[in-house]
Amino acid sequence: MTTDYRSALSANPWLTASLVVALLLAMGVGLPEADDAAAETPVVARSGGLTIEIQEEVRAGEGFDVFVEGLVPGVSMELIIDSGYGLRRMVTSHDRSSATVNVTAFAGPASGLILITAVQGDRVATATTTIVPGPPVDPIDVYLGPRTVIADAEHFVMIVAVPEDNWGNPVSDETSVLFTTTRPNQVVETKQYGTEHLLAWYEVYSRTVSGRTRIATESGVAGAPERDFLEVADKPEPYALELVDPLLPADGQALITVVTDILADGFGNVMPDGTVVMLDARGATGIRRVFSQTIDGRGEFTLAVPDVPGDVTLVATASGVQSEPLELSFVTAVQSIEASIELGTELAMVHVGPVRSVRASFVPEGTLATVTAADGTVSTAPLSLGVGTAYFSLDADLQSVTVEVLGTEIRVRPS
Amino acid sequence: MSFPAISVPRPLKGRSTSTRQAAESLTLGATANGEVVAAPAAAEVADEARIPVRLRWAILCVWIFHGGLLLFRSYERTYDAYVHIFLADHYARDWFSTWDQRWYTGFTTVSYPPGTHMAVAALSKVTGDLRLSFAFLQVCALTLLTIGVYRFSRMWVHKEAASNAALLLVFSSAIAETVHVFGQLPTTWALAFLLNALPYLRKWAFEGRFVDLVSGTAVLAACTAGHHVTTLFGSVFFLGPVLAYGLLAQSRIPLADERSGGDPKLTHHVALGLIARRLRRAIPSFLRIGVLGIAALGALVLVVLPYWWWSATDPITQISIPHGSRKNFLVDRNIGLVFFVVPWGVMLLILPYALIRSTLDRKWPLAGSILLLTVLGTGGTTPIPRMMLGHAFDVLTLDRFTFWAAIQILPMGGLFVTSLEKGSVGEWFRQTGGHLLLRAVQIGFVVSIVMMALFSASLAQYRKFQPERIDTDPIVAFIEKDQHERWRFLTLGFGDQMAWLSAQTTATQVDGNYHSVRRLPELTSTSVERLEGAKYRGISGLGSLQQFLEVPEKYNLKYVFSNDQFYDPVLHFNGWQRLGPLENGIVIWERADIPPLPAELPTREVPPWQRIMWGTVPPTAIIAACVLLLWNLVGRPGIKPRFDTAAANRRLLIGPLRSLDRLLYRLQSDLPADSSTSRKTLWNVRLLERIRRRLGRPISTRRKLLRTAIWLIALGYPAFQFATSAAAAPTAIETVEQYYEDLDFRRWDDAYDALDPVTKPDPELWRLQISVRGGLLASYAKLDSMDLAVIEVVNDERVVVKADLNYLTAVNWYPIERIHTMLKRDGQWYIEPDPTEVTIPPDQLVRRTDVDYAIQGRRRVTSGNTELTDVQDRPELLLRSVDLVDVDGQPVIVGEVMNLDVDPGDITITGVLRNANDEIIGRYNATEEILHAIRPRETTPFLIRFEEVAAGTNLDFDPTDFTPLQLDDEVVSVEVYAKAVVTTGGLYRGLGVHEATVTATADGSYRLEGELRNDGVSEAVIPRILISFLDDSGRVLWVQNEYLEYSVRSQRRGGFSVELEDITGHRPSDIPIDKYHNGIAPSSGEIGIPPVLIPAPSGQPYSSIRVDVSTFLAE
C-alpha cells in the first residue's frame, strides 16, 4: 500500500495547519536534550538511529543485558564497556535490527558509573549504568599512623579503614564502620563512623596511661587485622640522682654507680626504654659528660672517681629536663708515700714508692706520680711494676723534690 | 692443510743486482707496465704453500701454553677481561641494544667496537658460560695471531725466520702480559686480523688482483669490528711500512721499454730523469694504494659507523685519566717494568740488531716503524712522545705502542734466531767461546725467552693487581632478594671483578669499569678511573667517592659491597649502616631512606638504523673475514690460480694516467745507461757481507779471553753494584724511614728489629702492645708520605729524629709528628721504644645494660615483598634551630635536630637553596658533621656545606679543602628538610668526655683538650667528637668534626687535643628558612636542650661549647 502525501495535504488544509503548528511548537519549545533524556531513561540515541537500552543500576557481581536497536543486520557491532577500572570489548553480529547482548559480571572492581558504547560502522550510541557495590567483606584494609603518641590526651593518631566488597569495589558511602579501641589499662571505647569518599577514619586521641593501645575494625560482617600504637610518656617530672655504691676514695680508678629516680611524666608514665639521659660532672673530676639510656625508667651511670680529693657536682639531663644536683665529696686515697733520692755523680735518682692507699694496699697500677724539683722541673711517671714504685732521673744538684700522688704531696730531701 | 703461496723477497746474501731484481720480481710478480720479469718456480710455490714445522709447533704451543693458562682462569686476575665479558653479557642479553643501564647511570655501548663482545656472546649461547667463551676466543685469536705473525714476517724475511718469529710470538712477554695480565681480547683479536690482512693488501697493491683487495679489506673490516684503534694505527705502523717497502722495491725494477743497462749514478744532471723513471715504474701501485686507502677507510668507518657518529655528535668532556704508560719510567721504575721492560722482554736486547739489520737490508720502513713505536712507548721518559702526539698524549695509553713494537720486531727477531742458530751471530759466539758457548747462548736465549714469558704471564701473581677472587654468587643472591635491584649499588675493593658482578645481574651501579663513557659530571670531571679503587688514587680518589656517599639519594645509591675495610670510616661517618658480611666475606653497607629507582629508566639508544647496523655489520665482517681466510687457506677454489698482472697494469694506464706515463717516459728516456760494474753490488750488501766476514773470522785465544772478560764485566758489574749497595748500614734517618714503611706494610718482625735491643720488650709483648692499639691510623690508614729530619745530635751515638708522617685515611689525611731518640749500638742505629701503657681497668668483668633493637615484620616467613604495615613509622624529628651562616661568601646551614620519638632514628638533613625564581640552586646533605643515628630524645647538631661537583683541572684536589658551590644567583630562600627512618645500628654511647678544658695557645688560637673514657663493652675503634659552638640561647652557631687517631678500648681512656676553629669571620644571614620536619614540640612546654659543657673563652663570638661523641665500632 502506498499513500500520496502531497494530495492528502492539499486536500485537507486543517491537517496541514496542524502539522505546521506542531512544527513551530517543536521549534519554539525545543526537543529534550540527549543528556536529559539519558537522565530520565537509560536509553541514548546517537547517529543513524542506533540506540542502547540498559537498566539504571546493576549489583556488583551480577551480569546485565544491553539491548541495542537500529542495527544494520549482518554487520558486526562492537560493544565497549568502560568501567573506569578498564575496558571490555565485545564484537557481535546480528541478523536483525535489534539485539540483546549479555555482559557477564565483572570479576574485579567495577563499581560506579559504567559507560557502554555500541559501535556499528560509523554509527555510535552510548549509555550509562551504575554498578552498585556489595556489602563489605573480609579483610578491611586498615591504616594507622603514627604508631607512637605521647600519652597526654592531646596528641592523636589516625586510623583509616577502606572497606571493600567481594569484588574489590569500595563500599557505598555511609557504610557503617565500627572502631573498638582497647586502651593500655583495658578501658574499651567504641566509635562508629560511616564511610565517606570510600574511607572511614577516626582520630584516636591518646589518654594518660602509657602502653599499647589496640584498635579493632568492623563493618557489617567484615573484620580487619588489629592495629595498635604506643602511648608513651611525655618529658619527665623533676627527679633526683642517687649514689648506689659507697663513696670511694679518689684513686682515679675505682668506679661508682649513680642512678636517676624513675623518670616519669606528670601522669606517672615511665619514660620508655632507650631514652637518652646524660650526666654532667663538675668539680674534682674536672668537666665530664657521660651518656646512658633509660631502662625501666632509670638512667644508670658509671663514673670513675677523681684522682684528687674534693667535691663533685652531678646533674643529669633527660629530654631536656635536668635533675636536682647530687653533691659528692671524695676523700684522698693515699695513706702514705715513700720516696727517696740517691745522688749520683751525674744524675740524682728519685725513687717513689711504694705508695699505699687508705685500704693499706698499693695504689692502682699506672697511677701517676709527679716529681717537682725546686727549680720547677716537673717529671711524671706511672707507678708500676706491681709494687707501686716509680723512678726518676734528675740533675745531680738536687736539693729537694715534691712528690705528688693522687693529690697528696710530700717533700723529699737527699738522704 | 696448506697456505697459499706468499711471494716474498729472498735474502740478498751474496747476490748480484740482477739476481736481486729477479728475487724482488718474485715478490711483485710483474713490472709496472705489465711485463712479467720472473715467476716463482712450481717447486718453490709448493714449498711456500707447505706449513713449516716450526709454525705447527708454534700453534701447538699457543694451545698448550696460553690455552692452559686460560683454562685455569688466568684472566680472573687481569685488568680488562671482565670488562669485555661484561660487554659480551650486554649483547647476550640484547643483541641490538646499544644502551646499558648497569654502569654510570647508563652508557652507550657504541663507544666500543662490538666484534669480540658479540663473538663471546654468541659463543656463550653454545657453551652457556661467558668466561669459557672468552677464554676459547682468546685462544682462537692467539692462534690466528700466530699465523698472522708468520705471514707478516714472510713479507720481510725468509720462511725459516718467519717460522721462528711465530715461535717468538708464542713466548712473547708482550703477548703474555697482554693476555694474562691485561686481559685484552680485542687487542689480540684485531692484531690477528690486521696481520692476516696485510699480505692480501700488499698483493693487491703490487700484483693487482681484485680478489686480494676484497680479501684484505674484509679481514681489515674484521679487525675494525674488534678494535678500531688497531686498524687506525695499524694502517700507519704496519701497513705503511709494508707499502713503502713495496713501492721502493717496485721503483727499482726496470720496465721492459727502458734502456737496458740499469740506472745511472745519481747526479744533478740525471736526477729529474731518475725520479721520473722511478715514479713511472710505480704508477699502477700508487693507483692501487689509493684504492686500497679508500677501501681501508671504508672498512674503518662503515663497520663501526655508529661509533664514529656517536664520537662526533656526543663528545664527552673527560678529564684525562692518569696512566702509568705516560710516566717517566726512569723515575717510576715499577711502572717502567710493567709497561716497557716486561712487554719488550728479551726482544729489547735484539732491538739494536733489528734496527741495524733491517736498515742494512734496505727495510728501513720497518726499522723506522719499530724505532718510532719504541720511542712512543717510552711514555713520559722522554719529551718526544708528548711533542709528537700533542694533546693525544694525555688520552692514549702508550703501552700499546710498546706492544706493537714488540710484535713488529718479531720478523727481525726470527731472523736473529736463525742467525744465532746457523748464521753469523752464532758463528761469532762459536768463534768467541767455541761450540760450548754457542750452545750455552742458544739454550740461554731460549730459556730466557720462555722464563720471561712465564714471568710476564704470572706477573699478577707476584705483584697483586687485583684482589683475591671473590665469589659473587652471594652478592647476586642479595641483589635479587626483596627487590634490592630497585636501588643502585657500589662496590669497593673489588678490582675488575666488579664487572663480573655486573655481568650477572641487571641491577645498576653508579660506578663502572669503562671510564670513557662516563656521563656524570662527578665522574667525568675527575681523574679517578674507578670509585671502587678510590684509595689508589689517593686524596682525589677518596674525594670523588665521598661525593657519592654524602648525597646517595641523588643517585638512588643504597648498597655498598665492600671488600676493603679501609673505606669503613667514610661509610660509617656519612651515615651508612653496616648490614654485616655475606658468606663470601663481602660486607654490605646500606644507606637508609634512599628512594628507589623509577620503574622505567631513561635510555639513549641510538636510532634504529644504527642499532641494526651495529648488530649486523661487525658480526658480518667477522664472518666474512673468517670465510675468506678459510677460502684462501684451501687455495681459493673457484677462481683461476694464475693472474696476469701485466694486463691489469695496462688496463689501469688509461686517460690522464696514460699521458702521465708518457710524460715520465720522455723525461727518463735520455738517461744514460750505467756501465759501471763496481756499483752492481750495493753499499748495504757490501757492508753486510763485511760484517758477516768479520763476525765469522777466527780469532786468537787472547782475543777470546778479552771478549770473555768484557762480557763478564758487563754482566757482573750491575750485580756487584746491587750486592754492595744493599750491604751498607742505614743511617738514623733511613732506619726510621724503614721502620715506618715496615709498620705500614705490616712487616712486624722487620719493624721490631729496628728497636733498641737493650730496652725493647720481648717480641711477643711488643706485638701484643701493637695489637691493642687500634684505630684510624693503625687499621684504616695508609702512609702517604714522610718527612724526616735530625733535630738534635746529643752525641755520636744518640740523635733525635723528628718524623712528620702523612697518613691517608678514608675520611681525611693525618699529618702526624713523632719524635724518636735514636741510639747507635755496634755501628747500627736503633729506635728507642715508646713507653707502654701501664694502666689497668678496675674491673675484670664488666657488666653494662643496654637497650637493643630489632626491626622485624609481623608476618610468617615469606618471600613476598615487605608489606606497608611492616614498614616502621618515621621517627618524629624536630628541627630545634636552623640558621644560615655566611662563611667567606659561601652559605652554610647550621642547626640542631632532636629525635622526639621513642624509636632510634637514622636521620638525613637536607638543605636547599633557592633563587628569586624559586629555582633550586643548591642542594646538599649534612655529611660528617652530624650524628646520623640518634637514640630517642637525643639531640644532634648538624652542618650543611653546599659542595660543588669536585675537580676540574686540578687532578689532585683535596677533599678537605672543599670545592665550594659556585652560586650564579643570589640565595633568596632556604629550606631544610629533616627525615628519619628507624635504625638499630650506630647507637653506641659508651664514650664519655673527661677532663674537658679549653686552653689558649701561643698563637692566639684555642684548643679543646681532654680525654674520652670508654665505659662500654666494645672498643671504640674510631672515636669522633662533634664540637658545637653555641650562643647565649643555646643555638648552634657552628659545628666542628674531629676524628681521634687511635681507638679507645673498653674501660680505658684516650686523650684528645683539638684546635678549635676560628668562627669570628662567620656572618649570620637573615634569609628566611623554611623548616620541614614531622615532629611537633610537646604542648607541655619548650623542648629542653642539652646543657652546655664548657664556657667559651672570652672574646669569642660564641658563649659555650658542647661536645657530642660517637664512634665507629668494628665487627
Side-chain angles (χ1 to χ4, degrees):
Chain A
M1 188 180 74
T2 57
T3 305
D4 187 352
Y5 292 105
R6 189 180 297 175
S7 304
L9 290 174
S10 58
N12 192 345
W14 286 107
L15 176 61
T16 305
S18 300
L19 287 172
V20 170
V21 170
L23 185 62
L24 290 174
L25 282 172
M27 291 173 65
V29 176
L31 291 169
E33 292 183 1
D35 288 348
D36 295 342
E40 291 173 3
T41 72
V43 179
V44 177
R46 283 293 184 270
S47 64
L50 200 63
T51 60
I52 296 176
E53 197 170 314
I54 188 172
Q55 60 196 90
E56 287 186 31
E57 286 189 351
V58 179
R59 295 189 61 80
E62 294 179 357
F64 54 91
D65 291 333
V66 178
F67 180 70
V68 186
E69 271 193 311
L71 293 168
V72 177
V75 178
S76 65
M77 175 197 68
E78 186 181 23
L79 203 61
I80 303 166
I81 302 103
D82 183 359
S83 69
Y85 291 88
L87 289 178
R88 193 192 286 188
R89 294 174 186 274
M90 303 169 70
V91 178
T92 59
S93 182
H94 308 277
D95 54 3
R96 292 172 18 181
S97 61
S98 65
T100 301
V101 180
N102 181 254
V103 179
T104 57
F106 290 90
S111 65
L113 201 64
I114 303 288
L115 176 67
I116 298 165
T117 308
V119 181
Q120 191 180 42
D122 57 352
R123 300 183 306 151
V124 178
T126 60
T128 58
T129 186
T130 302
I131 292 188
V132 181
V137 297
D138 293 336
I140 303 171
D141 287 337
V142 185
Y143 304 94
L144 182 146
R147 278 172 263 179
T148 56
V149 65
I150 293 173
D152 59 357
E154 294 184 5
H155 288 76
F156 65 89
V157 302
M158 177 172 280
I159 187 165
V160 177
V162 189
E164 292 177 346
D165 69 1
N166 196 36
W167 296 275
N169 296 305
V171 297
S172 305
D173 277 2
E174 295 306 323
T175 301
S176 174
V177 177
L178 180 68
F179 298 102
T180 305
T181 306
T182 307
R183 297 290 178 174
N185 57 0
Q186 300 305 303
V187 172
V188 177
E189 303 161 1
T190 56
K191 294 279 185 182
Q192 188 158 333
Y193 292 89
T195 56
E196 184 181 350
H197 306 307
L198 319 179
L199 313 170
W201 67 92
Y202 165 36
E203 291 174 351
V204 190
Y205 275 80
S206 65
R207 295 293 179 251
T208 56
V209 178
S210 64
R212 190 172 296 276
T213 294
R214 305 165 199 276
I215 304 178
T217 308
E218 298 168 90
S219 180
V221 296
E226 187 176 77
R227 296 286 179 254
D228 57 47
F229 64 92
L230 284 176
E231 298 191 45
V232 298
D234 199 353
K235 54 199 291 189
E237 289 292 287
Y239 58 99
L241 293 170
E242 182 185 350
L243 179 65
V244 175
D245 302 310
L247 197 60
L248 298 175
D251 66 1
Q253 190 203 34
L255 302 177
I256 57 172
T257 304
V258 175
V259 297
T260 66
D261 288 344
I262 292 179
L263 303 177
D265 66 7
F267 300 103
N269 295 315
V270 176
M271 299 287 285
D273 285 353
T275 305
V276 163
V277 189
M278 66 175 69
L279 182 73
D280 288 340
R282 291 170 194 276
T285 54
I287 296 175
R288 292 189 189 179
R289 172 168 289 176
V290 294
F291 299 85
S292 180
Q293 63 270 325
T294 54
I295 296 175
D296 293 335
R298 291 180 186 273
E300 182 178 305
F301 303 92
T302 304
L303 276 179
V305 299
D307 55 8
V308 292
D311 296 334
V312 174
T313 303
L314 303 177
V315 176
T317 306
S319 296
V321 179
Q322 296 188 4
S323 70
E324 297 168 14
L326 174 65
E327 304 285 348
L328 302 175
S329 294
F330 291 91
V331 299
T332 180
V334 177
Q335 184 188 66
S336 66
I337 301 174
E338 292 182 20
S340 61
I341 301 175
E342 292 177 27
L343 292 178
T345 52
E346 293 183 353
L347 290 173
M349 183 68 75
V350 178
H351 177 204
V352 178
V355 180
R356 294 182 187 280
S357 75
V358 291
R359 292 186 293 271
S361 60
F362 297 141
V363 293
E365 182 90 353
T367 298
L368 288 179
T370 303
V371 172
T372 307
D375 62 356
T377 307
V378 177
S379 303
T380 304
L383 296 164
S384 62
L385 304 175
V387 293
T389 59
Y391 294 91
F392 298 85
S393 297
L394 300 175
D395 289 339
D397 56 347
L398 204 61
Q399 300 300 314
S400 67
V401 295
T402 301
V403 177
E404 185 268 334
V405 178
L406 294 174
T408 301
E409 292 182 356
I410 62 167
R411 193 164 190 81
V412 185
R413 293 180 183 283
S415 53
Chain B
M1 191 172 74
S2 63
F3 291 120
I6 301 172
S7 41
V8 295
R10 291 174 178 173
L12 302 179
K13 181 178 176 181
R15 295 187 179 194
S16 65
T17 304
S18 57
T19 315
R20 174 185 62 80
Q21 287 175 343
E24 286 178 340
S25 71
L26 281 174
T27 306
L28 305 169
T31 58
N33 63 353
E35 281 76 11
V36 176
V37 176
E44 287 180 331
V45 171
D47 178 60
E48 190 62 47
R50 228 178 0 253
I51 298 177
V53 174
R54 289 192 181 183
L55 178 57
R56 293 170 193 255
W57 275 104
I59 293 170
L60 188 63
C61 287
V62 163
W63 294 343
I64 294 171
F65 178 49
H66 293 294
L69 287 171
L70 288 164
L71 196 64
F72 285 97
R73 296 186 175 180
S74 62
Y75 53 83
E76 282 184 345
R77 295 173 182 274
T78 63
Y79 278 115
D80 288 341
Y82 279 133
V83 181
H84 298 301
I85 291 173
F86 169 80
L87 289 169
D89 175 70
H90 168 85
Y91 295 111
R93 290 174 189 271
D94 189 345
W95 190 270
F96 289 97
S97 170
T98 58
W99 186 260
D100 199 309
Q101 300 282 9
R102 289 178 286 181
W103 285 354
Y104 306 127
T105 68
F107 71 96
T108 180
T109 54
V110 298
S111 52
Y112 201 99
T116 52
H117 309 138
M118 285 180 169
V120 173
L123 191 60
S124 72
K125 299 296 182 187
V126 179
T127 63
D129 188 338
L130 284 166
R131 291 183 294 186
L132 181 65
S133 306
F134 175 86
F136 181 79
L137 275 177
Q138 183 69 277
V139 174
C140 292
L142 290 174
T143 305
L144 191 60
L145 181 59
T146 307
I147 298 168
V149 164
Y150 171 78
R151 300 183 70 204
F152 172 67
S153 300
R154 284 295 285 122
M155 293 189 289
W156 300 104
V157 295
H158 54 79
K159 189 172 182 177
E160 193 174 355
S163 304
N164 289 331
L167 265 175
L168 285 175
L169 172 96
V170 178
F171 296 104
S172 160
S173 53
I175 287 292
E177 189 182 43
T178 299
V179 173
H180 304 292
V181 177
F182 298 151
Q184 277 289 337
L185 174 60
T187 302
T188 52
W189 169 288
L191 188 63
F193 279 109
L194 174 71
L195 295 186
N196 277 288
L198 294 181
Y200 300 122
L201 298 176
R202 187 180 191 282
K203 280 167 75 79
W204 155 254
F206 302 109
E207 295 180 22
R209 196 163 193 183
F210 189 68
V211 70
D212 288 318
L213 177 66
V214 173
S215 298
T217 307
V219 179
L220 201 62
C223 168
T224 307
H227 193 224
H228 58 302
V229 176
T230 300
T231 309
L232 191 64
F233 283 92
S235 300
V236 177
F237 293 107
F238 285 85
L239 182 58
V242 167
L243 296 179
Y245 178 59
L247 280 173
L248 286 172
Q250 182 79 44
S251 68
R252 288 196 290 267
I253 300 173
L255 301 177
D257 56 0
E258 290 175 15
R259 181 176 296 175
S260 59
D263 295 338
K265 187 177 178 181
L266 178 63
T267 63
H268 68 278
H269 296 294
V270 299
L272 183 62
L274 266 178
I275 292 170
R277 176 177 283 181
R278 293 285 173 102
L279 279 176
R280 182 167 174 262
R281 291 168 181 173
I283 284 178
S285 297
F286 273 121
L287 193 63
R288 289 196 192 99
I289 286 171
V291 174
L292 168 60
I294 295 168
L297 189 65
L300 179 63
V301 173
L302 291 178
V303 174
V304 288
L305 182 63
Y307 164 82
W308 299 111
W309 194 284
W310 167 77
S311 297
T313 57
D314 191 15
I316 297 174
T317 307
Q318 166 70 60
I319 291 287
S320 173
I321 306 290
H323 194 267
S325 64
R326 297 182 208 122
K327 290 191 173 180
N328 186 333
F329 299 154
L330 297 177
V331 174
D332 198 334
R333 296 183 185 185
N334 285 332
I335 293 290
L337 179 78
V338 172
F339 289 119
F340 194 81
V341 176
V342 167
W344 268 110
V346 180
M347 289 295 113
L348 199 56
L349 302 176
I350 299 176
L351 180 61
Y353 169 86
L355 294 176
I356 294 169
R357 180 61 198 266
S358 52
T359 305
L360 290 178
D361 277 353
R362 305 182 78 175
K363 295 164 186 160
W364 60 263
L366 179 66
S369 183
I370 293 173
L371 187 63
L372 187 57
L373 286 168
T374 305
V375 172
L376 289 174
T378 57
T381 311
T382 68
I384 301 171
R386 183 180 285 279
M387 288 163 53
M388 294 178 69
L389 296 170
H391 176 68
F393 179 85
D394 294 319
V395 179
L396 295 170
T397 52
L398 304 185
D399 57 311
R400 199 60 59 87
F401 293 113
T402 301
F403 172 73
W404 286 328
I407 299 299
Q408 198 154 46
I409 200 176
L410 288 177
M412 304 315 294
L415 201 60
F416 175 83
V417 171
T418 309
S419 184
L420 182 63
E421 188 182 359
K422 57 181 77 165
S424 51
V425 175
E427 185 60 23
W428 185 85
F429 279 109
R430 196 181 64 77
Q431 290 296 335
T432 303
H435 282 289
L436 190 64
L437 178 65
L438 177 60
R439 288 286 175 252
V441 170
Q442 288 171 340
I443 293 169
F445 181 77
V446 172
V447 168
S448 58
I449 288 271
V450 173
M451 292 301 292
M452 194 66 197
L454 287 171
F455 171 73
S456 303
S458 55
L459 190 62
Q461 301 284 342
Y462 307 115
R463 184 185 167 91
K464 297 287 183 190
F465 298 114
Q466 299 288 330
E468 292 297 322
R469 182 177 175 273
I470 298 169
D471 177 12
T472 51
D473 290 346
I475 306 172
V476 174
F478 175 84
I479 290 171
E480 290 173 348
K481 188 171 62 181
D482 209 9
Q483 296 190 346
H484 290 156
E485 74 274 5
R486 293 179 66 200
W487 289 269
R488 288 201 175 92
F489 68 89
L490 179 69
T491 57
L492 293 174
F494 274 50
D496 288 80
Q497 293 178 76
M498 57 104 78
W500 176 234
L501 172 62
S502 286
Q504 295 176 84
T505 175
T506 54
T508 63
Q509 59 169 311
V510 292
D511 200 7
N513 203 6
Y514 181 26
H515 61 80
S516 303
V517 292
R518 303 187 292 190
R519 306 188 63 83
L520 287 171
E522 294 86 332
L523 292 171
T524 56
S525 60
T526 74
S527 59
V528 182
E529 187 177 0
R530 283 198 313 249
L531 294 174
E532 76 84 32
K535 74 175 185 182
Y536 298 109
R537 283 293 302 140
I539 290 293
S540 58
L542 293 168
S544 296
L545 176 63
Q546 278 183 9
Q547 291 188 105
F548 288 88
L549 299 180
E550 288 173 348
V551 282
E553 68 273 14
K554 183 176 174 184
Y555 315 97
N556 308 97
L557 173 60
K558 188 175 180 64
Y559 298 105
V560 169
F561 301 109
S562 176
N563 190 34
D564 191 343
Q565 68 168 16
F566 178 88
Y567 302 101
D568 289 0
V570 71
L571 287 163
H572 173 82
F573 290 109
N574 278 293
W576 290 75
Q577 295 279 353
R578 183 172 44 203
L579 295 185
L582 296 166
E583 61 237 51
N584 56 2
I586 300 300
V587 178
I588 304 176
W589 291 79
E590 181 191 52
R591 186 72 173 91
D593 223 0
I594 301 296
L597 288 161
E600 288 294 327
L601 292 172
T603 61
R604 292 186 61 183
E605 293 274 9
V606 297
W609 68 269
Q610 287 189 31
R611 291 176 64 185
I612 293 168
M613 203 173 170
W614 193 251
T616 54
V617 176
T620 304
I622 293 167
I623 292 168
C626 292
V627 168
L628 281 169
L629 282 173
L630 282 172
W631 179 66
N632 278 282
L633 185 68
V634 296
R636 297 183 170 182
I639 64 168
K640 293 177 184 175
R642 296 189 65 82
F643 178 72
D644 188 354
T645 303
N649 286 347
R650 279 195 298 273
R651 284 196 295 272
L652 284 176
L653 295 177
I654 56 174
L657 283 177
R658 185 82 186 159
S659 304
L660 178 64
D661 180 68
R662 286 176 182 167
L663 174 66
L664 294 173
Y665 176 77
R666 282 196 298 273
L667 286 172
Q668 61 88 45
S669 58
D670 295 335
L671 283 176
D674 181 24
S675 56
S676 170
T677 53
S678 61
R679 291 182 59 255
K680 290 296 180 186
T681 305
L682 295 173
W683 64 271
N684 60 312
V685 178
R686 292 201 306 273
L687 183 57
L688 203 57
E689 282 301 311
R690 196 170 165 185
I691 292 171
R692 283 197 182 114
R693 280 198 301 274
R694 195 168 180 80
L695 289 176
R697 191 176 59 188
I699 57 172
S700 64
T701 308
R702 186 179 164 200
R703 286 183 66 88
K704 286 181 180 177
L705 288 173
L706 185 64
R707 281 187 189 178
T708 307
I710 291 170
W711 274 98
L712 283 175
I713 290 169
L715 294 175
Y717 183 72
F720 174 77
Q721 281 279 50
F722 180 77
T724 51
S725 63
T731 64
I733 294 277
E734 288 169 345
T735 303
V736 175
E737 183 178 8
Q738 189 59 45
Y739 173 71
Y740 278 106
E741 282 192 1
D742 290 338
L743 284 182
D744 194 44
F745 285 97
R746 308 292 193 263
R747 297 189 291 253
W748 305 117
D749 291 340
D750 293 337
Y752 178 76
D753 289 343
L755 299 177
D756 179 19
V758 176
T759 56
K760 68 182 177 185
D762 66 74
E764 191 178 351
L765 176 60
W766 182 76
R767 290 285 294 271
L768 205 57
Q769 289 167 349
I770 291 282
S771 68
V772 298
R773 197 173 201 199
L776 191 60
L777 287 195
S779 305
Y780 301 92
K782 190 77 188 151
L783 184 60
D784 188 52
S785 62
M786 58 180 144
D787 187 16
L788 306 170
V790 174
I791 57 173
E792 183 183 355
V793 179
V794 180
N795 52 46
D796 290 345
E797 296 182 341
R798 179 184 285 262
V799 299
V800 179
V801 174
K802 189 177 89 164
D804 290 312
L805 309 166
N806 202 22
Y807 282 94
L808 174 70
T809 74
V811 288
N812 210 335
W813 55 268
Y814 262 93
I816 301 289
E817 182 186 295
R818 291 277 184 271
I819 306 295
H820 290 288
T821 301
M822 304 295 295
L823 305 167
K824 197 171 192 179
R825 301 186 191 278
D826 300 327
Q828 181 80 33
W829 286 102
Y830 293 99
I831 302 171
E832 196 172 71
D834 292 332
T836 56
E837 184 187 354
V838 293
T839 57
I840 55 173
D843 295 328
Q844 279 187 304
L845 179 64
V846 182
R847 299 172 180 82
R848 292 289 179 270
T849 52
D850 201 355
V851 177
D852 282 338
Y853 301 88
I855 299 173
Q856 56 186 354
R858 293 192 293 185
R859 290 184 297 159
R860 64 184 179 183
V861 175
T862 174
S863 59
N865 298 329
T866 305
E867 276 192 355
L868 188 64
T869 52
D870 278 344
V871 177
Q872 298 279 334
D873 268 359
R874 287 182 176 275
E876 293 183 20
L877 300 181
L878 179 74
L879 285 165
R880 188 181 163 271
S881 72
V882 179
D883 290 290
L884 185 68
V885 183
D886 184 321
V887 181
D888 300 328
Q890 287 296 314
V892 177
I893 296 173
V894 291
E896 190 177 19
V897 63
M898 183 177 187
N899 179 11
L900 295 176
D901 218 297
V902 293
D903 298 331
D906 185 326
I907 60 177
T908 303
I909 309 289
T910 305
V912 175
L913 307 177
R914 290 185 184 272
N915 63 10
N917 297 326
D918 209 27
E919 296 165 337
I920 294 176
I921 54 174
R923 182 189 188 98
Y924 220 76
N925 289 347
T927 56
E928 294 179 40
E929 289 90 357
I930 188 174
L931 297 175
H932 280 281
I934 56 175
R935 286 185 176 271
R937 309 288 170 91
E938 192 173 14
T939 301
T940 176
F942 65 84
L943 181 146
I944 304 172
R945 302 170 197 264
F946 292 87
E947 191 163 357
E948 186 68 272
V949 170
T953 55
N954 182 7
L955 296 183
D956 285 316
F957 77 96
D958 184 342
T960 58
D961 282 349
F962 182 75
T963 307
L965 183 69
Q966 301 299 315
L967 290 172
D968 297 328
D969 297 330
E970 186 184 356
V971 178
V972 172
S973 66
V974 177
E975 295 160 8
V976 176
Y977 297 83
K979 61 177 183 174
V981 292
V982 175
T983 186
T984 61
L987 301 170
Y988 186 81
R989 295 291 182 269
L991 285 175
V993 185
H994 279 212
E995 327 291 350
T997 58
V998 173
T999 56
T1001 62
D1003 61 359
S1005 62
Y1006 293 92
R1007 297 191 75 83
L1008 175 67
E1009 295 178 329
E1011 289 181 334
L1012 296 184
R1013 182 175 183 278
N1014 185 0
D1015 191 54
V1017 295
S1018 300
E1019 179 180 9
V1021 177
I1022 304 176
R1024 183 273 292 272
I1025 57 177
L1026 271 182
I1027 306 163
S1028 308
F1029 300 76
L1030 310 173
D1031 68 5
D1032 293 336
S1033 62
R1035 290 179 78 90
V1036 176
L1037 299 176
W1038 191 250
V1039 184
Q1040 183 178 344
N1041 179 52
E1042 296 290 341
Y1043 300 99
L1044 269 62
E1045 55 200 77
Y1046 290 112
S1047 65
V1048 182
R1049 286 183 290 156
S1050 172
Q1051 302 298 310
R1052 285 176 169 81
R1053 301 180 184 187
F1056 66 85
S1057 177
V1058 175
E1059 182 176 340
L1060 294 175
E1061 290 181 13
D1062 181 9
I1063 66 167
T1064 51
H1066 297 186
R1067 298 282 173 266
S1069 169
D1070 56 0
I1071 294 173
I1073 300 175
D1074 293 326
K1075 297 187 287 186
Y1076 296 89
H1077 48 181
N1078 61 348
I1080 305 169
S1083 58
S1084 52
E1086 181 70 17
I1087 282 285
I1089 58 168
V1092 301
L1093 186 66
I1094 308 165
S1098 60
Q1100 294 300 309
Y1102 52 96
S1103 60
S1104 64
I1105 286 172
R1106 201 176 85 209
V1107 178
D1108 293 278
V1109 192
S1110 70
T1111 183
F1112 167 68
L1113 302 177
E1115 279 285 286

